[in-house]
Amino acid sequence: PLRPLFPPPSVNMGRRPARCYRYCKNKPFIKSRYCRGVPESKIRIYDNAAKREPVESFPYVCHLVSDEREQLSSEALEAARVAANKTMTKLSSKDAFHLRIRVHPFHVNRINKMLSCAGADRLQTGMRHAYGKPQGVVARVKIGQVLMSIRTKDTHRAAAIESLRRAKFKFPGRQKIIESKKWGFTKYTRARYLELQEAGRLLPDGATVQYDNHHGPLGF
């Protein structure tokens, strides 16, 4: 059969490259009753692997830290989560670590769709009414902001660093891998943690601890 001379306009375009949405240019623009029809975020799981493991099981922690002020798409965050989770599972085991994504994509990107086909010049308006439709969501990050954290045993230190190194390839811009002096996801250094634990001042609270100062509702 003969092909039509002018094919129907195709609106299903591929995603724009990250360079189009990388910079924090406008004000934060979130999903609301005014901004409707926002596509769902690609990343839905923020805690991976042994997330229920008690705080004393995983003393070692390292972080992936942003070195730029930029926007990271939910697609990039999901790709980085999968890469880090897969690498860490392969190099240690699926119960030997807890991976946490520390940023959430709330900012909505817009796209002013253009038709790119024969006869499109009669249909589209160029820069007239150029306010776009919601296209996806991104996380706005600052310099020094933690993107991902892995807590694990000291024996899996090399695996954790390699996992974050591979996750870096999924993001635009520059990131740094930083080893923390803290005990797991708590706010106490290792020495201070052991000191408080010895004194019986720490109450386990999932992946972190609460400090019992022996007065108030926690004290007896």
Side-chain angles (χ1 to χ4, degrees), residues 22-47:
R22 180 175 160 186
Y23 302 107
C24 297
K25 288 194 293 191
N26 305 318
K27 292 178 183 177
F29 182 60
I30 60 166
K31 181 179 176 181
S32 66
R33 59 183 174 165
Y34 310 110
C35 172
R36 297 178 298 275
V38 177
E40 278 296 315
S41 168
K42 287 286 185 290
I43 183 165
R44 305 302 296 272
I45 301 167
Y46 291 88
D47 283 282

mmCIF file of all heavy atoms in Angstrom, residues 22-47:
data_model
loop_
_atom_site.group_PDB
_atom_site.id
_atom_site.type_symbol
_atom_site.label_atom_id
_atom_site.label_comp_id
_atom_site.label_asym_id
_atom_site.label_seq_id
_atom_site.Cartn_x
_atom_site.Cartn_y
_atom_site.Cartn_z
ATOM 1 N N ARG A 22 19.128 20.715 33.802
ATOM 2 C CA ARG A 22 20.128 20.487 34.838
ATOM 3 C C ARG A 22 20.227 21.634 35.839
ATOM 4 O O ARG A 22 20.525 21.429 37.006
ATOM 5 C CB ARG A 22 21.463 20.277 34.132
ATOM 6 C CG ARG A 22 22.599 20.022 35.078
ATOM 7 C CD ARG A 22 23.848 19.716 34.289
ATOM 8 N NE ARG A 22 25.023 19.936 35.106
ATOM 9 C CZ ARG A 22 26.258 19.858 34.649
ATOM 10 N NH1 ARG A 22 26.480 19.587 33.393
ATOM 11 N NH2 ARG A 22 27.265 20.068 35.446
ATOM 12 N N TYR A 23 20.007 22.858 35.400
ATOM 13 C CA TYR A 23 20.288 24.022 36.250
ATOM 14 C C TYR A 23 19.043 24.506 36.981
ATOM 15 O O TYR A 23 17.943 24.470 36.444
ATOM 16 C CB TYR A 23 20.887 25.152 35.396
ATOM 17 C CG TYR A 23 22.143 24.704 34.694
ATOM 18 C CD1 TYR A 23 22.154 24.454 33.329
ATOM 19 C CD2 TYR A 23 23.313 24.484 35.411
ATOM 20 C CE1 TYR A 23 23.299 24.008 32.695
ATOM 21 C CE2 TYR A 23 24.458 24.033 34.797
ATOM 22 C CZ TYR A 23 24.445 23.798 33.431
ATOM 23 O OH TYR A 23 25.581 23.337 32.821
ATOM 24 N N CYS A 24 19.242 24.987 38.229
ATOM 25 C CA CYS A 24 18.140 25.531 39.035
ATOM 26 C C CYS A 24 17.878 26.961 38.569
ATOM 27 O O CYS A 24 18.432 27.903 39.137
ATOM 28 C CB CYS A 24 18.512 25.519 40.523
ATOM 29 S SG CYS A 24 18.794 23.891 41.196
ATOM 30 N N LYS A 25 17.045 27.125 37.557
ATOM 31 C CA LYS A 25 16.864 28.452 36.978
ATOM 32 C C LYS A 25 15.661 29.194 37.552
ATOM 33 O O LYS A 25 15.709 30.377 37.784
ATOM 34 C CB LYS A 25 16.707 28.334 35.453
ATOM 35 C CG LYS A 25 18.001 27.980 34.756
ATOM 36 C CD LYS A 25 17.913 28.205 33.271
ATOM 37 C CE LYS A 25 16.942 27.253 32.625
ATOM 38 N NZ LYS A 25 17.025 27.283 31.156
ATOM 39 N N ASN A 26 14.554 28.483 37.742
ATOM 40 C CA ASN A 26 13.327 29.157 38.153
ATOM 41 C C ASN A 26 13.028 28.908 39.628
ATOM 42 O O ASN A 26 13.782 28.233 40.313
ATOM 43 C CB ASN A 26 12.165 28.655 37.284
ATOM 44 C CG ASN A 26 12.471 28.825 35.815
ATOM 45 O OD1 ASN A 26 13.013 29.846 35.421
ATOM 46 N ND2 ASN A 26 12.166 27.818 35.009
ATOM 47 N N LYS A 27 11.926 29.476 40.079
ATOM 48 C CA LYS A 27 11.509 29.230 41.464
ATOM 49 C C LYS A 27 11.046 27.773 41.598
ATOM 50 O O LYS A 27 10.619 27.175 40.611
ATOM 51 C CB LYS A 27 10.348 30.158 41.820
ATOM 52 C CG LYS A 27 10.750 31.618 41.897
ATOM 53 C CD LYS A 27 9.546 32.470 42.202
ATOM 54 C CE LYS A 27 9.931 33.938 42.205
ATOM 55 N NZ LYS A 27 8.772 34.808 42.417
ATOM 56 N N PRO A 28 11.107 27.224 42.816
ATOM 57 C CA PRO A 28 10.577 25.871 43.001
ATOM 58 C C PRO A 28 9.100 25.819 42.588
ATOM 59 O O PRO A 28 8.322 26.717 42.915
ATOM 60 C CB PRO A 28 10.732 25.627 44.502
ATOM 61 C CG PRO A 28 11.819 26.542 44.918
ATOM 62 C CD PRO A 28 11.714 27.745 44.042
ATOM 63 N N PHE A 29 8.745 24.775 41.843
ATOM 64 C CA PHE A 29 7.412 24.661 41.256
ATOM 65 C C PHE A 29 6.925 23.242 41.559
ATOM 66 O O PHE A 29 7.399 22.284 40.957
ATOM 67 C CB PHE A 29 7.524 24.909 39.750
ATOM 68 C CG PHE A 29 6.224 24.880 38.994
ATOM 69 C CD1 PHE A 29 5.211 25.762 39.299
ATOM 70 C CD2 PHE A 29 6.034 23.981 37.958
ATOM 71 C CE1 PHE A 29 4.017 25.746 38.583
ATOM 72 C CE2 PHE A 29 4.853 23.957 37.242
ATOM 73 C CZ PHE A 29 3.835 24.832 37.549
ATOM 74 N N ILE A 30 6.042 23.092 42.535
ATOM 75 C CA ILE A 30 5.673 21.752 42.999
ATOM 76 C C ILE A 30 4.255 21.400 42.556
ATOM 77 O O ILE A 30 3.479 22.258 42.147
ATOM 78 C CB ILE A 30 5.791 21.630 44.540
ATOM 79 C CG1 ILE A 30 4.872 22.641 45.215
ATOM 80 C CG2 ILE A 30 7.227 21.784 44.985
ATOM 81 C CD1 ILE A 30 4.659 22.387 46.675
ATOM 82 N N LYS A 31 3.952 20.115 42.673
ATOM 83 C CA LYS A 31 2.615 19.625 42.353
ATOM 84 C C LYS A 31 1.618 20.221 43.344
ATOM 85 O O LYS A 31 1.874 20.229 44.550
ATOM 86 C CB LYS A 31 2.640 18.100 42.464
ATOM 87 C CG LYS A 31 1.345 17.407 42.143
ATOM 88 C CD LYS A 31 1.542 15.905 42.270
ATOM 89 C CE LYS A 31 0.231 15.180 42.058
ATOM 90 N NZ LYS A 31 0.399 13.729 42.189
ATOM 91 N N SER A 32 0.507 20.743 42.853
ATOM 92 C CA SER A 32 -0.490 21.352 43.732
ATOM 93 C C SER A 32 -1.838 21.311 43.025
ATOM 94 O O SER A 32 -1.963 20.748 41.936
ATOM 95 C CB SER A 32 -0.109 22.812 44.030
ATOM 96 O OG SER A 32 -0.189 23.569 42.844
ATOM 97 N N ARG A 33 -2.835 21.936 43.613
ATOM 98 C CA ARG A 33 -4.151 21.942 42.952
ATOM 99 C C ARG A 33 -4.137 22.842 41.718
ATOM 100 O O ARG A 33 -5.035 22.757 40.893
ATOM 101 C CB ARG A 33 -5.232 22.391 43.931
ATOM 102 C CG ARG A 33 -5.010 23.759 44.509
ATOM 103 C CD ARG A 33 -6.087 24.085 45.514
ATOM 104 N NE ARG A 33 -5.776 25.362 46.170
ATOM 105 C CZ ARG A 33 -6.652 26.045 46.879
ATOM 106 N NH1 ARG A 33 -7.876 25.595 47.026
ATOM 107 N NH2 ARG A 33 -6.304 27.165 47.462
ATOM 108 N N TYR A 34 -3.113 23.712 41.614
ATOM 109 C CA TYR A 34 -2.989 24.574 40.431
ATOM 110 C C TYR A 34 -2.155 23.883 39.345
ATOM 111 O O TYR A 34 -2.384 24.081 38.161
ATOM 112 C CB TYR A 34 -2.319 25.900 40.797
ATOM 113 C CG TYR A 34 -2.957 26.564 41.983
ATOM 114 C CD1 TYR A 34 -2.281 26.646 43.195
ATOM 115 C CD2 TYR A 34 -4.236 27.090 41.901
ATOM 116 C CE1 TYR A 34 -2.870 27.239 44.299
ATOM 117 C CE2 TYR A 34 -4.836 27.682 42.999
ATOM 118 C CZ TYR A 34 -4.151 27.754 44.193
ATOM 119 O OH TYR A 34 -4.747 28.326 45.269
ATOM 120 N N CYS A 35 -1.152 23.112 39.771
ATOM 121 C CA CYS A 35 -0.261 22.401 38.847
ATOM 122 C C CYS A 35 -0.687 20.940 38.836
ATOM 123 O O CYS A 35 -0.278 20.150 39.684
ATOM 124 C CB CYS A 35 1.192 22.551 39.305
ATOM 125 S SG CYS A 35 2.335 21.535 38.381
ATOM 126 N N ARG A 36 -1.564 20.605 37.891
ATOM 127 C CA ARG A 36 -2.135 19.261 37.860
ATOM 128 C C ARG A 36 -1.553 18.467 36.689
ATOM 129 O O ARG A 36 -0.855 19.007 35.845
ATOM 130 C CB ARG A 36 -3.656 19.350 37.725
ATOM 131 C CG ARG A 36 -4.315 20.021 38.898
ATOM 132 C CD ARG A 36 -5.809 20.135 38.717
ATOM 133 N NE ARG A 36 -6.170 20.948 37.568
ATOM 134 C CZ ARG A 36 -6.267 22.265 37.575
ATOM 135 N NH1 ARG A 36 -6.014 22.934 38.678
ATOM 136 N NH2 ARG A 36 -6.604 22.930 36.494
ATOM 137 N N GLY A 37 -1.873 17.174 36.653
ATOM 138 C CA GLY A 37 -1.402 16.339 35.540
ATOM 139 C C GLY A 37 0.095 16.106 35.562
ATOM 140 O O GLY A 37 0.720 15.947 34.517
ATOM 141 N N VAL A 38 0.688 16.087 36.784
ATOM 142 C CA VAL A 38 2.135 15.870 36.892
ATOM 143 C C VAL A 38 2.414 14.361 36.823
ATOM 144 O O VAL A 38 1.791 13.590 37.558
ATOM 145 C CB VAL A 38 2.667 16.445 38.225
ATOM 146 C CG1 VAL A 38 4.146 16.160 38.382
ATOM 147 C CG2 VAL A 38 2.395 17.934 38.296
ATOM 148 N N PRO A 39 3.339 13.913 35.952
ATOM 149 C CA PRO A 39 3.651 12.476 35.891
ATOM 150 C C PRO A 39 4.221 11.993 37.221
ATOM 151 O O PRO A 39 4.873 12.743 37.938
ATOM 152 C CB PRO A 39 4.714 12.384 34.780
ATOM 153 C CG PRO A 39 4.668 13.672 34.054
ATOM 154 C CD PRO A 39 4.126 14.693 34.990
ATOM 155 N N GLU A 40 3.985 10.722 37.529
ATOM 156 C CA GLU A 40 4.507 10.138 38.774
ATOM 157 C C GLU A 40 6.029 10.096 38.738
ATOM 158 O O GLU A 40 6.624 9.921 37.673
ATOM 159 C CB GLU A 40 3.978 8.712 38.942
ATOM 160 C CG GLU A 40 2.571 8.636 39.521
ATOM 161 C CD GLU A 40 2.479 9.183 40.933
ATOM 162 O OE1 GLU A 40 3.359 8.858 41.747
ATOM 163 O OE2 GLU A 40 1.543 9.947 41.216
ATOM 164 N N SER A 41 6.630 10.244 39.911
ATOM 165 C CA SER A 41 8.082 10.134 40.027
ATOM 166 C C SER A 41 8.515 8.706 39.694
ATOM 167 O O SER A 41 7.844 7.747 40.052
ATOM 168 C CB SER A 41 8.510 10.484 41.447
ATOM 169 O OG SER A 41 9.845 10.125 41.668
ATOM 170 N N LYS A 42 9.667 8.570 39.021
ATOM 171 C CA LYS A 42 10.163 7.238 38.661
ATOM 172 C C LYS A 42 10.699 6.502 39.892
ATOM 173 O O LYS A 42 10.696 5.284 39.936
ATOM 174 C CB LYS A 42 11.281 7.355 37.619
ATOM 175 C CG LYS A 42 10.786 7.740 36.230
ATOM 176 C CD LYS A 42 10.083 6.569 35.561
ATOM 177 C CE LYS A 42 9.686 6.878 34.144
ATOM 178 N NZ LYS A 42 8.604 7.840 34.012
ATOM 179 N N ILE A 43 11.180 7.250 40.871
ATOM 180 C CA ILE A 43 11.725 6.597 42.071
ATOM 181 C C ILE A 43 10.642 6.526 43.143
ATOM 182 O O ILE A 43 10.032 7.542 43.484
ATOM 183 C CB ILE A 43 13.005 7.313 42.583
ATOM 184 C CG1 ILE A 43 13.583 6.569 43.778
ATOM 185 C CG2 ILE A 43 12.768 8.775 42.898
ATOM 186 C CD1 ILE A 43 14.988 6.980 44.111
ATOM 187 N N ARG A 44 10.369 5.302 43.607
ATOM 188 C CA ARG A 44 9.335 5.111 44.623
ATOM 189 C C ARG A 44 9.902 4.486 45.896
ATOM 190 O O ARG A 44 9.266 4.510 46.934
ATOM 191 C CB ARG A 44 8.218 4.194 44.088
ATOM 192 C CG ARG A 44 7.574 4.646 42.796
ATOM 193 C CD ARG A 44 6.977 6.035 42.907
ATOM 194 N NE ARG A 44 5.892 6.108 43.867
ATOM 195 C CZ ARG A 44 4.619 5.869 43.578
ATOM 196 N NH1 ARG A 44 4.262 5.538 42.355
ATOM 197 N NH2 ARG A 44 3.693 5.964 44.503
ATOM 198 N N ILE A 45 11.095 3.870 45.799
ATOM 199 C CA ILE A 45 11.694 3.176 46.946
ATOM 200 C C ILE A 45 12.922 3.979 47.392
ATOM 201 O O ILE A 45 13.820 4.214 46.580
ATOM 202 C CB ILE A 45 12.120 1.741 46.559
ATOM 203 C CG1 ILE A 45 10.910 0.950 46.065
ATOM 204 C CG2 ILE A 45 12.779 1.036 47.733
ATOM 205 C CD1 ILE A 45 11.254 -0.347 45.389
ATOM 206 N N TYR A 46 12.949 4.398 48.631
ATOM 207 C CA TYR A 46 14.055 5.220 49.125
ATOM 208 C C TYR A 46 14.956 4.463 50.105
ATOM 209 O O TYR A 46 16.084 4.861 50.321
ATOM 210 C CB TYR A 46 13.515 6.494 49.787
ATOM 211 C CG TYR A 46 12.897 7.432 48.768
ATOM 212 C CD1 TYR A 46 11.563 7.318 48.410
ATOM 213 C CD2 TYR A 46 13.667 8.409 48.148
ATOM 214 C CE1 TYR A 46 11.005 8.158 47.459
ATOM 215 C CE2 TYR A 46 13.120 9.256 47.199
ATOM 216 C CZ TYR A 46 11.789 9.120 46.859
ATOM 217 O OH TYR A 46 11.249 9.949 45.906
ATOM 218 N N ASP A 47 14.452 3.394 50.705
ATOM 219 C CA ASP A 47 15.264 2.552 51.597
ATOM 220 C C ASP A 47 15.353 1.159 51.009
ATOM 221 O O ASP A 47 14.328 0.536 50.724
ATOM 222 C CB ASP A 47 14.646 2.493 53.004
ATOM 223 C CG ASP A 47 14.934 3.758 53.783
ATOM 224 O OD1 ASP A 47 16.062 3.882 54.273
ATOM 225 O OD2 ASP A 47 14.039 4.609 53.865
#
